[in-house]
Amino acid sequence: MRTLAVTGGIGSGKSYVVRMFAALGIPVYDADSRTKRLYDEDRGLLAALQELLGPDLVKDGRLDRQYMAGRIFSDRCLLEKVEALVFPEVIADFRTWKERVADAPFAIMESAIYLEKPALAGVADKVLTVLCPEDVRIGRVMARSGMSREQVLARMANQWSDERRTAASDYVIVSDFRNPLLPQVESVYIDMKDNS
């Protein structure tokens, strides 16, 4: 069974696009939410992370995400060490999940960082990037998160550019309120289904 990775910058509309694929019967693995679930359920992973990041990482038996973010996002070396622990677990979880949905035409892995992280390379057969004008992206993120424009721009600055993502993708969907989404989604759906 083939896998389509769906990615895009913050606020690009990738989750909406993924929901459209789900409505067509395609199972979706949301890498972000599944990773958070692993933090809560995989005691071995939690112990390894606590050994790396210190005892304050765990409060009341659960990972303190705010503490972890504060430690790793200002220390690239520490971030890479955390990713070296987390990504193999996510990939293993994805493969187990994929076995349970094997009767579908193909599966989707939704991940904002799929192209940016070499550890994920090869998990998907094809990559779809969702593009959206920067001003729309900023407005979406500000509306849903309460972040300031400057905070959103800082997040965007830490992600790949749309040009770089597009160059590394097999498909591109434009989510700009001018190009209808459904025909774009259906085109990718048909291509993935016919070539699986």
Side-chain angles (χ1 to χ4, degrees):
M1 176 201 245
R2 286 157 48 98
T3 299
L4 175 66
V6 178
T7 191
I10 187 170
S12 63
K14 64 187 167 299
S15 294
Y16 186 77
V17 167
V18 162
R19 284 196 297 273
M20 294 178 79
F21 278 105
L24 293 170
I26 302 303
V28 176
Y29 181 93
D30 178 345
D32 187 48
S33 65
R34 296 287 293 203
T35 300
K36 289 174 183 169
R37 192 167 147 195
L38 285 173
Y39 291 151
D40 292 337
E41 297 176 0
D42 187 330
R43 306 318 289 174
L45 176 60
L46 189 59
L49 289 169
Q50 189 173 23
E51 187 174 320
L52 177 65
L53 299 172
D56 291 339
L57 179 70
V58 178
K59 287 187 181 161
D60 301 321
R62 297 181 71 123
L63 183 137
D64 183 338
R65 291 187 181 93
Q66 208 167 12
Y67 172 83
M68 184 166 84
R71 292 284 317 273
I72 65 176
F73 290 121
S74 59
D75 184 335
R76 192 140 201 70
C77 182
L78 199 53
L79 173 63
E80 288 172 2
K81 288 177 181 176
V82 166
E83 289 175 345
L85 292 171
V86 173
F87 285 153
E89 298 301 320
V90 172
I91 292 167
D93 183 62
F94 171 72
R95 290 189 172 134
T96 300
W97 169 87
K98 194 172 158 184
E99 288 173 12
R100 293 196 305 267
V101 299
D103 57 339
F106 60 95
I108 285 178
M109 174 187 266
E110 179 186 358
S111 172
I113 59 172
Y114 180 82
L115 290 171
E116 299 174 30
K117 300 300 178 180
L120 297 174
V123 172
D125 302 286
K126 298 282 184 176
V127 178
L128 162 65
T129 289
V130 180
L131 300 179
C132 180
E134 185 175 286
D135 59 330
V136 176
R137 292 172 58 197
I138 293 167
R140 282 178 181 166
V141 178
M142 288 173 64
R144 73 177 184 219
S145 70
M147 289 168 47
S148 70
R149 180 179 178 82
E150 292 71 29
Q151 288 173 313
V152 178
L153 287 169
R155 288 265 180 105
M156 291 170 74
N158 285 325
Q159 295 184 334
W160 275 21
S161 69
D162 284 343
E163 293 76 21
R164 189 170 179 191
R165 268 192 216 95
T166 300
S169 297
D170 302 286
Y171 308 104
V172 172
I173 285 180
V174 180
S175 171
D176 63 357
F177 305 115
R178 285 190 293 267
N179 295 281
L181 282 175
L182 186 56
Q184 296 180 79
V185 169
E186 287 178 335
S187 175
V188 175
Y189 172 86
I190 290 165
D191 192 64
M192 284 295 297
K193 188 177 174 188
D194 289 350
N195 292 300
S196 56

